[in-house]
Amino acid sequence: MKQFTCIFVFMICGFQLQAQYSGGGEANPGLPTHLEALKEFQDMRFGMFVHWGPVSLRGEEISWSRGREIPIEEYDQLYKEFNPELFNAADWVGAAKAAGMKYLVITSRHHDGFSLWDSRYTDYDMAATPYGKGVLKELAKECQKQGIKFGTYYSICDWYRPDYPVVYPDPDYSFNKEKTMDPVTREKMDQYTTFMKNQLRELIEEYNTFVIWFDGEWEWAWTHEMGMDMYAYLRGLKEDILINNRVDKGRAGMEDNSRDPRYAGDFATPEQNIGDFDNQYAWETCMTIGKQWAWKPDETLKSKKECIHTLLYTIGGDGNLLFNVGPMPDGRMDPRQINRLKEMGRWISMNQEAVYGTRGGPYLPTTRMVSTHKDYRIYLHLLKSSGKKLTLPLEKEIRIKAARFLVDGTPVKLKRNSDSYTLSLPGSLPDKTATVIVLELDKPASEIEPIKL
Ligand code: FHN
């Protein structure tokens, strides 16, 4: 009855959704993205990604080190040692906030199958560890207390479960492999899908996650039909839940942020790569602060400038940045990663008007600058000092009324040409990392089509 009710509710919601939220070019045939939830997501622009689990005890990569750097038998027993006594949700959420991040997405269950909460549907979870309790509940509550949106990553593939048909590591393992599913495998996948739906319902109904951040859809056992069914199921549980494009098979590669409307998903997820400018289909780059997703001792981190420029190129392309940290096995965040994030937070707090609630463009990103806009303002993020003149094409119908440095309000000299403006800049920019200039317009900046410089 429950299952029928869900489908029935979805059918009603589906039609309502069609009426209330049908924007142009929906990503999901017959079930448009919840546009208000999507706008709130895009306005946040910057989130914290957290990859964590018992594997952090060994400082190796989550899931991918199972059966490679760490023997499978050892990997699958790590949970018996996992006792993050120094975990403090307020510290984690405080670190995200200090970085200027507005949401947090944590690996609730990665490809290794371990659940970071006390799930009713598995014993391979935090309740079975010496720590003895889930961390997601505390994290979700702390996020709500500090005004950070709480989100959950969830892997479709599970190399731990015997009823999951794909094995890793395996000599002929490959991404996007094609393979016919025999009836026995199909039955196994149906059972496994029921397990996933049960766990996802826990995350939605008991942890109030705002997004299901799927991963692992590339394996042959997961099909387009399953992806569409899963998308509809989740939207039937919570109509404003956001679901990334890894619920289905529409990705054209790990770094891709293009959109194929035949496939389900509310936003694209280019990985370790800043997506191409796209202000038609929402996208979010996910990227590590170092090289590894899970914690690695003494790992080389990206520099402050690289971190901030990664954020600016992403929002300048009209995307979000989900920036990853790997907490330590004792439950603390790595102080080196926290310090780097604080440096990002200091820059963002001085320039936040040019980040939050903005959209990318109209000037397309170049090596010299990116731009964002909001209402009647364009924000130019100058990434390096390159000359005392900056010429900006602009259609005649729109006028720049004034220009100034965002941080201290110092006016910037403007010269109007027939179909452009020339700004006079100082030889060296006030902020060597990135300096923001605000252009005040006489019309909404959103009316300007993207401009290639
Ligand atoms: O295999 C995962 C990987 O471990 C990590 O979770 C990233 C980030 O989303 N996604 C997959 C592919 O790299």
Side-chain angles (χ1 to χ4, degrees):
M1 188 55 183
K2 178 86 176 152
Q3 184 66 14
F4 171 75
T5 308
C6 283
I7 292 170
F8 179 71
V9 166
F10 152 60
M11 289 309 290
I12 296 294
C13 288
F15 295 121
Q16 275 176 344
L17 284 169
Q18 193 71 29
Q20 292 169 30
Y21 306 118
S22 54
E26 290 86 17
N28 313 303
L31 191 60
T33 296
H34 191 290
L35 296 183
E36 286 144 57
L38 188 71
K39 181 183 183 315
E40 184 183 5
F41 170 67
Q42 290 183 293
D43 284 351
M44 292 192 287
R45 297 275 82 160
F46 188 30
M48 176 183 270
F49 211 177
V50 180
H51 277 67
W52 195 48
V55 69
S56 303
L57 288 158
R58 297 288 184 273
E60 298 291 354
E61 186 58 287
I62 192 165
S63 301
W64 295 99
S65 62
R66 180 177 180 270
R68 294 192 331 189
E69 293 79 3
I70 307 172
I72 288 179
E73 304 67 38
E74 179 186 345
Y75 190 108
D76 292 353
Q77 300 296 311
L78 287 173
Y79 74 98
K80 294 177 179 170
E81 299 170 44
F82 193 45
N83 190 12
E85 287 177 316
L86 300 181
F87 168 73
N88 179 312
D91 292 349
W92 285 28
V93 179
K97 213 165 172 181
M101 294 160 157
K102 295 291 185 184
Y103 61 101
L104 180 150
V105 178
I106 185 165
T107 52
S108 68
R109 191 177 65 100
H110 205 264
H111 318 329
D112 61 10
F114 183 78
S115 296
L116 267 186
W117 75 103
D118 179 6
S119 171
R120 281 190 294 280
Y121 301 96
T122 178
D123 294 332
Y124 189 44
D125 65 5
M126 280 304 285
T129 68
Y131 190 67
K133 55 190 175 186
V135 293
L136 295 198
K137 192 140 295 204
E138 291 165 73
L139 214 42
K141 269 188 337 201
E142 191 62 33
C143 280
Q144 188 164 25
K145 189 173 158 192
Q146 296 199 36
I148 299 289
K149 295 287 277 187
F150 176 71
T152 42
Y153 163 113
Y154 191 84
S155 175
I156 286 166
C157 55
D158 183 331
W159 301 328
Y160 176 83
R161 284 177 68 97
D163 63 349
Y164 182 72
V166 180
V167 172
Y168 181 87
D170 184 288
D172 69 349
Y173 181 92
S174 68
F175 283 61
N176 299 320
K177 182 191 177 99
E178 299 283 329
K179 194 168 177 181
T180 315
M181 201 176 301
D182 60 64
V184 172
T185 303
R186 180 68 209 220
E187 175 54 30
K188 282 184 177 179
M189 278 307 290
D190 289 348
Q191 287 166 10
Y192 175 55
T193 301
T194 301
F195 162 77
M196 287 198 284
K197 287 181 174 179
N198 287 333
Q199 282 208 317
L200 289 163
R201 194 175 63 247
E202 285 184 306
L203 293 175
I204 288 174
E205 293 179 349
E206 298 168 35
Y207 295 84
N208 194 28
T209 181
F210 84 95
V211 61
I212 300 296
W213 209 102
F214 281 106
D215 201 6
E217 89 290 357
W218 57 77
E219 293 191 342
W220 62 265
W222 188 252
T223 66
H224 170 48
E225 173 212 1
M226 293 171 183
M228 293 289 276
D229 167 70
M230 179 62 84
Y231 183 90
Y233 167 74
L234 296 171
R235 291 293 302 280
L237 289 181
K238 187 172 190 275
E239 68 166 345
D240 65 351
I241 188 83
L242 290 176
I243 303 163
N244 74 358
N245 66 346
R246 302 189 186 190
V247 65
D248 198 349
K249 308 288 276 190
R251 277 202 293 166
M254 209 49 93
E255 298 188 351
D256 171 62
N257 72 304
S258 65
R259 162 176 151 250
D260 184 335
R262 294 170 299 166
Y263 296 91
D266 299 321
F267 59 92
T269 54
E271 180 164 318
Q272 301 286 35
N273 172 59
I274 294 166
D276 297 332
F277 182 92
D278 183 343
N279 62 2
Q280 299 305 306
Y281 183 49
W283 58 274
E284 174 198 63
T285 275
C286 58
M287 192 175 284
T288 50
I289 197 169
K291 290 255 185 302
Q292 191 168 281
W293 293 100
W295 182 67
K296 185 175 193 63
D298 306 324
E299 193 186 23
T300 306
L301 304 184
K302 289 176 174 67
S303 68
K304 168 190 165 188
K305 178 172 272 193
E306 200 179 348
C307 291
I308 292 169
H309 285 194
T310 296
L311 173 66
L312 296 183
Y313 273 113
T314 303
I315 65 175
D318 199 33
N320 279 33
L321 176 62
L322 188 62
F323 210 39
N324 184 79
V325 293
M328 301 161 78
D330 63 8
R332 289 176 301 149
M333 288 258 178
D334 184 325
R336 297 166 63 242
Q337 295 183 9
I338 297 310
N339 287 336
R340 183 68 81 251
L341 292 180
K342 275 182 186 162
E343 290 174 326
M344 292 183 82
R346 279 194 285 274
W347 186 91
I348 294 171
S349 68
M350 290 194 298
N351 298 276
Q352 55 187 296
E353 176 187 328
V355 175
Y356 304 124
T358 65
R359 297 301 299 273
Y363 297 103
L364 298 187
T366 68
T367 55
R368 182 177 188 184
M369 73 168 222
V370 305
S371 68
T372 56
H373 67 269
K374 181 166 48 181
D375 305 328
Y376 284 65
R377 290 178 176 168
I378 295 174
Y379 302 96
L380 306 175
H381 305 254
L382 306 180
L383 307 176
K384 59 184 179 182
S385 299
S386 44
K388 294 190 173 183
K389 297 293 178 195
L390 173 61
T391 298
L392 300 171
L394 190 62
E395 53 197 80
K396 297 183 182 61
E397 297 69 31
I398 296 191
R399 201 164 59 81
I400 300 177
K401 299 190 306 185
R404 59 182 164 79
F405 286 106
L406 175 64
V407 170
D408 65 6
T410 306
V412 172
K413 192 162 162 291
L414 267 180
K415 177 177 165 298
R416 184 167 192 180
N417 313 309
S418 59
D419 58 358
S420 66
Y421 282 82
T422 301
L423 279 69
S424 300
L425 303 175
S428 71
L429 293 170
D431 186 332
K432 296 281 173 291
T433 302
T435 296
V436 178
I437 290 176
V438 195
L439 306 179
E440 298 279 358
L441 307 178
D442 65 349
K443 285 192 179 134
S446 57
E447 292 180 9
I448 305 170
E449 287 299 313
I451 301 168
K452 188 168 170 41
L453 290 174

